[in-house]
Amino acid sequence: NAGVIQTPRHKVTGKGQEATLWCEPISGHSAVFWYRQTIVQGLEFLTYFRNQAPIDDSGMPKERFSAQMPNQSHSTLKIQSTQPQDSAVYLCASSPRDWGYEQYFGPGTRLTVL
Amino acid sequence: GMPVEQNPPALSLYEGAESGLRCNFSTTMKGVQWFQQNHRGRLITLFYLAQGTKENGRLKSTFNSKERYSTLHIKDAQLEDSGTYFCAVEPNNMGYKLTFGTGTSLLVDP
């Protein structure tokens, strides 16, 4: 079991460019979550999928951010027209259930927007 | 979201010592999860609790939903225990939406 896999581990983009972050959840886990970590805001929930269906994206900035889960083996977080304030570590987690169980986190993608 | 406060913000221990970390929240919660974030930034799951107490080696955690707190106790501290410890709570109405505490930064010295 390789755990949750995230790629790339580091990404540097210029202001205004697009960034796509990838997550491969643990096989068999039906729930996939995205979080963001910054020094100022700490760890924040972004969005959540259950059995590939988007359930709650209330933590996502309304513009420029989108997340998809085209199949059970991967999810993507896309940020269009990146801004310096998007710089953060983006973390993906998966769990066998929505709640009442551990969420297992990937190593994160550190996004730096210059 | 509802604030989740962790105390102390920072802690320094010598090897072999023990101490407790506390997580306070403002409303009753469905569950709590504890993580260690290591020097590489990886969030390592320590415990999930819906109630009561769990123990794993040198670590022990308690969750009291009614009193709105959880604790993590570390005994016989080792150098590899250094890192930042986060609690994350599951709200009653949206249990999947973990709300993280502010963290406790632990440094274990030889």
Side-chain angles (χ1 to χ4, degrees), chain A residues 4 23 32 35 41 44 51 61 75 78 87 91 105 110 112:
Chain A
V4 176
C23 170
V32 174
Y35 294 84
Q41 299 292 334
E44 304 173 285
N51 293 323
S75 175
K78 184 181 290 186
S87 297
L91 293 155
F105 281 75
R110 180 175 295 279
T112 303

Side-chain angles (χ1 to χ4, degrees), chain B residues 30-74:
Chain B
K30 219 185 266 291
V32 66
Q33 193 166 351
W34 282 92
F35 299 91
Q36 179 198 22
Q37 190 165 41
N38 63 18
H39 66 280
R40 292 193 181 90
R42 186 87 187 227
L43 275 172
I44 300 165
T45 298
L46 299 176
F47 293 104
Y48 171 82
L49 296 100
Q51 62 180 7
T53 299
K54 284 188 178 179
E55 200 162 348
N56 184 4
R58 298 179 293 102
L59 302 179
K60 180 178 175 180
S61 182
T62 298
F63 175 46
N64 189 324
S65 179
K66 185 179 177 183
E67 299 297 323
R68 304 174 190 173
Y69 75 89
S70 177
T71 61
L72 177 68
H73 193 84
I74 302 172

Side-chain angles (χ1 to χ4, degrees), chain A residues 2 4 16 22 30-31 33-34 39 44 59 69 76 79 92 98-99:
Chain A
V4 176
W22 296 71
S30 58
F33 312 83
W34 284 94
I39 298 292
E44 304 173 285
M69 192 161 183
T76 58
I79 309 171
C92 178
D98 301 15
W99 57 270

Side-chain angles (χ1 to χ4, degrees), chain A residues 43, chain B residues 4-13 19-24 34-38 46 70 72 74 81-87 100-107:
Chain A
L43 281 146
Chain B
V4 180
E5 186 182 279
Q6 287 187 245
N7 289 297
L11 181 63
S12 187
L13 296 175
S19 190
L21 286 58
R22 189 167 171 113
C23 174
N24 296 311
W34 282 92
F35 299 91
Q36 179 198 22
Q37 190 165 41
N38 63 18
L46 299 176
S70 177
L72 177 68
I74 302 172
D81 295 334
S82 294
T84 302
Y85 289 78
F86 291 98
C87 67
F100 281 81
T102 46
T104 293
S105 177
L106 172 65
L107 178 64

Side-chain angles (χ1 to χ4, degrees), chain A residues 6-107:
Chain A
Q6 288 189 251
T7 55
R9 293 295 308 278
H10 303 272
K11 186 169 182 68
V12 180
T13 66
K15 184 178 173 181
Q17 292 184 327
E18 182 177 288
T20 300
L21 314 180
W22 296 71
C23 170
E24 181 179 330
I26 293 171
S27 178
H29 283 191
S30 58
V32 174
F33 312 83
W34 284 94
Y35 294 84
R36 175 168 68 176
Q37 186 174 23
T38 62
I39 298 292
V40 174
Q41 299 292 334
L43 281 146
E44 304 173 285
F45 169 88
L46 293 177
T47 189
Y48 154 57
F49 294 86
R50 181 199 303 143
N51 293 323
Q52 300 169 232
I55 302 298
D56 184 345
D57 67 355
S58 58
M60 295 271 274
K62 293 308 174 194
E63 298 177 357
R64 303 185 297 105
F65 281 63
S66 63
Q68 295 184 329
M69 192 161 183
N71 57 59
Q72 64 185 10
S73 63
H74 89 271
S75 175
T76 58
L77 179 67
K78 184 181 290 186
I79 309 171
Q80 295 177 311
S81 185
T82 54
Q83 303 297 309
Q85 62 265 29
D86 299 332
S87 297
V89 176
Y90 290 83
L91 293 155
C92 178
S94 72
S95 181
R97 299 203 299 255
D98 301 15
W99 57 270
Y101 207 85
E102 290 96 335
Q103 291 186 19
Y104 297 92
F105 281 75

